[in-house]
Amino acid sequence: MPAHTDKSSSDTAAATVPSGPAFTFRRMAGLDQALLSTDAEWQNLGKLDPKLWMALSCPIHGLEFDAQTLALLDVDNDKRIRAKEILDAVAWLCQRVSHPSQLRERRAELPLALLREDTPEGASLLAAARLVLDKTDAADRTQIDRHQTAIALNAAAGYAFNGDGIVPSTSVEAQDASGEAVRHFILTGLKVVGGMRDDSGTPGLDAALAARFREVLHEVLQWRQKTHEAELPLGRDTDEAWSLMQRLGPKIDDYFARCRMAAFAPQTLPALNEENEIGLQESAEAGLFSMEHLGRRPLARIAAGQPLDLQAGINPAWEKDMRAFRRLFEAVLPLTKDGQSSEDAACSLDEDTWHAIQNRFTPYATLLAQKPDFSRAPEDATPFNASGQPPLALAPADDPLGRAFLPLNPEEVVDKLSDADLDALLSTDTEEAFDFYVKRDLAAPRMDAMRDLEKLILLHANLYTLLMNFVSFADFYKPGNKAIFLAGTLYLDSRSCSLCVHVDAVDAHVRLATQSHLCLLYCLCVRKGSNGEEQTATIAAALTAGTADDLIEGRHGIFVDNAGQVWDSTLLRIVRNPITLREAMWAPYIRFANLVGEQLHKLVAAKDTAIADASSKLAGSVTEGKPEAPAKAPPAKQPFDIAKSAGIFAAVSVGISMVSASFTYIAKSLFSLGWWWPMALLCVFIVISGPSMVVAWFKLRRRSLGPLLDASGWAVNTGAPINFTMGGTLTAVGEMPPGAQRSLDDPYGLPARLGHSRTRRIAVSILALLLLAAAGLGGYWAWKGEAPSWIKFWQSATSVTSTSGGKGVEKSGQSNAAKPASPEAPGKAADKAQQGKDTTANSPAKEASPSEAKQKTGDQSQDSKNADDKGSASTTDVQSKAGAAQAPSSEAAPTPKPASILEALVPGAGSAPAPSAAQP
C-alpha cells in the first residue's frame, strides 16, 4: 500500500511539471534576456510567454537594419513589425533549415549543408541554390550569397519559361499557325477574362484561367445559337432598333406622360412646356441652345391628347435619333396622308402604337437578359499598360479568381468576335498547343524558388539580429554589440553620446520620453547629399556622464550616423535630469555660487542702469537746450574729526571680527575634537550634499530605455532599465590616450607671464612699493618711539570688539567680573593696579562715579601714547572696566555707568577728564 501511494504521488508530481522547451536566459542589467542558443528554442519560440518578450511591435523606419529584410517581414505592409510576423518568419525558416541556431553567427553566406532535404520546401531551395551556382559559375559550391542570387534573378527575368505555369503572349513562338493561334488565344483571353502575373511581371494565362476563358466562349456561342433560332422583330435591324429604343424610350415615355397631365390639368401646360424657364433665358450665352441643355427639354411641344409628330416640331437634340426611329419602324407606323409612304410623308406616333412596339420587343429583351455576364474592372481601378499587351487594370488583392489583371471592356470584345473566331478559339488544336506551352513552362526552374532562396539568405544574415533587438535586448546590453534602434553617435561638449534615437516630432516625443529619467538632448542634424540636396533629421541623445551646465540651446556639434556620414547638429531642447552622483554632490555648492553671482550681477546691472539713466537725462537736457539748474554751492568742508570716523572704523572692525571669530570658532570647534575633526568635517559635507545625492540616486535608479523607445513608436513590453555601470558606458568623456606625454610649459601661464618684460616690471614695481612702505613704517616707529596712531587704533578696536563679544574675557580668564563678588575682590584689584602701574582697579563692592571713570580713561589714553608696551595694558584696562561695569554688585547700590567704546578709544571724544596727579 505505501509503495502504491509513492508511485501515484510521483506520477502526480510529474504531471504538474509543465511540458515545453527549456529556454536559455542571461541576466543583463537586472533583466533576463532570452538568447535562443539551441534549435529547440527556435522551433518552439511560439511557446515562449509573450510577456517575457522585450518588445511587441516596432516601426520599420528609423531602424539601422536591412530595408529589404524589413519589407519581407512586413507582410501586411502596415509599416510595422509585430510579434506574429516574427513568429511566422521563424516558422518559415525552420521548415527550410536544419539547424536554425547557427543563425547566431550572422553570416552573409548561406551554407548549402544547412538546407533541409527532408521537406519539399527545403529540397526546392536546395535545387534552386545549385541552379544559381551553375548559372553564375561560382568557384565555391558549398555556400551561396545574396549577390549571386540577385544575378540569377535578373537573368531569369528574361527567360521565356520560368516554372510558374503562366504563359504570357511573349513566351509563344509564333513561327507556325499553331503558335499564332495560341498567341491570339492568350491576347483575347486577357481582354475577356483578365490575366495572371508571370514571374517576369508580364500578364498571361495559366491552365485554370484558360479553362475559364473557354467556358465563357462556350456560353457566348450557345447564346448566339439561341439568338439565331429566335424570331427577331425587325430581322437584321433588330439589334440597331433595340439600341435606339434604349436611348429614346425614356424621352417618348416622358412625352406621353406630359400630354396626359395636360389633358388632366390644362393650367399646367406652360409649366409642362417649360415656357417660363425658356423665357428667362434670352441670351445664347446662358447655354439655351446647347445640345446638353436642349437634351433635358421635352421631346416635342406638349398638348392634351396630341400624338408625337415624328417629323415636325422635334427637339433639335433628338432629331437625328427620331429620323432613325422613323426609318426603322416605318413598317409598323400608321400613315397620315392618304396612305402615302414616301419619306416626306408626315407620320405620327400615338401612345397605343408605342406600347405595341414595346410589347413586340419583349421576347427579344428576354433573350438579351440571358446573355453571359462578364466581370470588368471598376472605374477607379489602376490602369496597366505594357508594350505588346492589351489595355488592362490591376485587380484587387481579394479577387476570387486570384487574377492580377482585369479586362476593361469584355462585352465589346466578345461582340466583335464572329462565329468563325469563336470556333477557332475553341478548337482542339488551339487547346492542345496552349497546354503544351503550360507544361513546358512548368518544367523550367521556378523564379519563386529563387526568390525564396533570396529571402532565406536575408533571414540567415539578419533575423537573429532582429530577434536580439525584439524578443530580447541582448544587443543593447551586451558590450561590443550595437542595437538596431541606435542611430549613431553625437559629439558635443567634449563628450560622445552613443544612445541616440530618431525623432519625428520633438514635442510629442518629449511628453513620453521624460518618463525615462534620462538627461536628453534633442538636436537637429543637417547635411548635404551627393546631389547637393539638403537632408535633415532630428535625434534625441541621452547624456549619462559629465554635467549639463555648459549646454545651452543653439550649441553646435556633429552627429555621425552608423553609415559614417557626418551631420552638423544644433541643440534644440534639453530635458534635464540627474546625470551622475558626482554632479549631484557638487550641485548645492554650485547653486549657491550661482545665486551669489546672480545677486552681484543684479546689483551691478542696477547701478549700471542708474548711471545710464542719469546720463540719458543729462544728454536729453543738453540736446533740448534747456538751461541747467544752477549748481548748489558745495557745503563747507568740515575738518577731519576722528571722533566721527571712529564709529565707522569700529563698525567695519566689528564686522571683520565677527566673520573672523565665526571661522575661528568653527575651526577651533573642529580641531578641539582632536583626530576626530575629519569625521566632523565629513558629517558637515554629508549634511549639505546628502539630500541632493539621495534624490539623484533614486532618479538614476529609475532610468529606463522603455519610455524613450515608446516615444519613437515602439511597443516596449518591459522597462529596460539602465543602471549606473551601463549608464557610464553610454557617454564617453574626452581623456588623454594611453602613453601620451604631457608638457606643462604653458606659454600663457604665470611662469611665462613673469618672463615677459612688462609683467616683470609691474611685479618689481609692486614689490618695491611694499618694501618702501615697510621701511617708512619702521623708520617712523624708530623715530617716534611708538607705532603710528592708526595701528594703535586698529589694535584698540580689535581688543574692544573682542571684549564686547565676551569671548576675550572668557578665554583669557584674567577678569573677575564674571565671577561672584567676594570680600577679597578689592584687595586683589589693588594688587593688579599696582603691578600694571597705570591701571586702576574697579571692584564690584566699590562705588565709582562717571567723572572718575572718564578721568581714568583719559589717563589710560595718555599712557598709551608714551609707551609702546602700554597698548596692551590699556586694552586690558578697558576689558577690566567693561567687565566691572557689567558685573552685579551685592554691596554697592548704585552701578557706575560704563565708558563707551568711543570714549575708551579716542582721547577727548567724551567729556573732559578731571585733572589727575598721575599725568606728567
Side-chain angles (χ1 to χ4, degrees), residues 355-427:
H355 289 316
I357 293 174
Q358 289 179 326
N359 294 333
R360 189 171 182 178
F361 274 82
T362 300
Y364 183 73
T366 304
L367 183 62
L368 290 178
Q370 299 176 358
K371 186 178 181 179
D373 294 331
F374 300 93
S375 62
R376 63 168 62 201
E379 296 181 357
D380 58 347
T382 304
F384 174 82
N385 295 308
S387 178
Q389 302 296 327
L392 299 171
L394 298 180
D398 56 349
D399 185 75
L401 298 178
R403 296 171 295 181
F405 305 96
L406 295 178
L408 297 179
N409 300 303
E411 294 88 349
E412 289 80 352
V413 174
V414 172
D415 292 341
K416 292 179 181 179
L417 294 175
S418 61
D419 294 344
D421 293 335
L422 292 177
D423 292 337
L425 293 172
L426 292 174
S427 64

Side-chain angles (χ1 to χ4, degrees), residues 750-778:
L750 180 60
R753 290 201 303 270
L754 292 177
H756 295 170
S757 59
R758 182 179 178 183
T759 307
R760 186 168 56 251
R761 286 196 302 269
I762 294 175
V764 171
S765 300
I766 294 174
L767 181 60
L769 291 175
L770 292 177
L771 293 177
L772 183 61
L777 180 61

Side-chain angles (χ1 to χ4, degrees), residues 723-862:
N723 58 18
F724 292 91
T725 305
M726 185 177 184
T729 63
L730 297 177
T731 300
V733 182
E735 57 184 11
M736 293 288 182
Q741 296 181 357
R742 187 176 185 181
S743 175
L744 300 179
D745 186 12
D746 188 356
Y748 302 101
L750 180 60
R753 290 201 303 270
L754 292 177
H756 295 170
S757 59
R758 182 179 178 183
T759 307
R760 186 168 56 251
R761 286 196 302 269
I762 294 175
V764 171
S765 300
I766 294 174
L767 181 60
L769 291 175
L770 292 177
L771 293 177
L772 183 61
L777 180 61
Y780 177 85
W781 203 324
W783 178 52
K784 291 291 185 178
E786 60 180 358
S789 59
W790 60 272
I791 294 181
K792 292 190 295 181
F793 167 76
W794 177 79
Q795 291 179 350
S796 302
T798 304
S799 301
V800 172
T801 303
S802 301
T803 305
S804 63
K807 294 181 175 58
V809 176
E810 294 173 3
K811 295 175 182 178
S812 61
Q814 296 177 359
S815 177
N816 298 326
K819 298 180 181 180
S822 60
E824 292 83 6
K828 293 181 180 180
D831 296 339
K832 291 182 180 180
Q834 182 65 29
Q835 293 175 1
K837 295 182 182 180
D838 57 350
T839 305
T840 302
N842 294 325
S843 175
K846 183 178 180 181
E847 180 179 357
S849 64
S851 58
E852 292 175 352
K854 293 179 181 180
Q855 180 180 358
K856 294 176 182 179
T857 304
D859 296 341
Q860 293 167 1
S861 301
Q862 185 65 29

Side-chain angles (χ1 to χ4, degrees), residues 584 588 591 684-698:
R591 285 196 295 266
V684 174
F685 182 79
I686 292 175
V687 169
I688 298 175
S689 300
S692 177
M693 295 180 65
V694 170
V695 173
W697 183 79
F698 279 107

Side-chain angles (χ1 to χ4, degrees), residues 374-665:
F374 300 93
S375 62
R376 63 168 62 201
E379 296 181 357
D380 58 347
T382 304
F384 174 82
N385 295 308
S387 178
Q389 302 296 327
L392 299 171
L394 298 180
D398 56 349
D399 185 75
L401 298 178
R403 296 171 295 181
F405 305 96
L406 295 178
L408 297 179
N409 300 303
E411 294 88 349
E412 289 80 352
V413 174
V414 172
D415 292 341
K416 292 179 181 179
L417 294 175
S418 61
D419 294 344
D421 293 335
L422 292 177
D423 292 337
L425 293 172
L426 292 174
S427 64
T428 306
D429 296 338
T430 303
E431 182 178 358
E432 292 177 354
F434 180 79
D435 292 342
F436 169 76
Y437 279 101
V438 172
K439 293 177 181 179
R440 185 177 177 182
D441 188 86
L442 291 174
R446 288 205 59 181
M447 285 188 65
D448 284 348
M450 294 186 182
R451 291 195 180 93
D452 290 344
L453 179 62
E454 183 184 30
K455 178 180 178 181
L456 181 60
I457 294 174
L458 292 174
L459 295 180
H460 178 266
N462 303 315
L463 183 58
Y464 185 74
T465 300
L466 182 61
L467 292 177
M468 293 299 100
N469 291 270
F470 199 95
V471 178
S472 67
F473 282 172
D475 280 354
F476 175 71
Y477 287 110
K478 186 176 181 180
N481 290 5
K482 197 173 186 66
I484 62 176
F485 47 77
L486 298 181
T489 305
L490 176 67
Y491 293 88
L492 184 68
D493 193 30
S494 300
R495 281 167 287 185
S496 62
C497 305
S498 58
L499 179 52
C500 302
V501 297
H502 289 283
V503 176
D504 294 331
V506 175
D507 293 336
H509 197 276
V510 167
R511 284 194 295 270
L512 190 56
T514 305
Q515 303 302 320
S516 65
H517 299 283
L518 290 166
C519 182
L520 300 177
L521 310 178
Y522 287 87
C523 299
L524 176 65
C525 304
V526 181
R527 69 178 295 269
K528 287 289 185 68
S530 57
N531 56 355
E533 184 179 357
E534 188 178 76
Q535 302 175 358
T536 60
T538 307
I539 63 168
L543 187 65
T544 58
T547 63
D549 297 335
D550 298 332
L551 296 178
I552 58 175
E553 296 180 1
R555 188 162 181 180
H556 296 281
I558 63 170
F559 172 70
V560 181
D561 59 17
N562 294 326
Q565 298 174 340
V566 181
W567 303 64
D568 295 326
S569 66
T570 303
L571 188 58
L572 298 177
R573 191 169 179 177
I574 305 176
V575 178
R576 298 189 181 273
N577 276 307
I579 301 176
T580 59
L581 288 177
R582 179 182 299 177
E583 180 195 33
M585 179 178 63
W586 298 110
Y589 310 99
I590 295 175
R591 285 196 295 266
F592 178 75
N594 293 337
L595 178 62
V596 173
E598 290 176 1
Q599 296 300 324
L600 291 176
H601 176 74
K602 291 180 180 179
L603 179 61
V604 174
K607 295 296 183 182
D608 183 70
T609 304
I611 295 174
D613 293 342
S615 302
S616 300
K617 292 180 180 179
L618 179 60
S621 63
V622 173
T623 304
E624 295 175 359
K626 295 181 180 179
E628 297 184 3
K632 296 182 180 179
K637 186 175 181 181
Q638 300 292 334
F640 178 76
D641 189 358
I642 188 63
K644 296 181 179 180
S645 302
I648 300 176
F649 294 144
V652 174
S653 301
V654 168
I656 296 175
S657 302
M658 289 179 64
V659 175
S660 302
S662 299
F663 282 102
T664 304
Y665 176 75

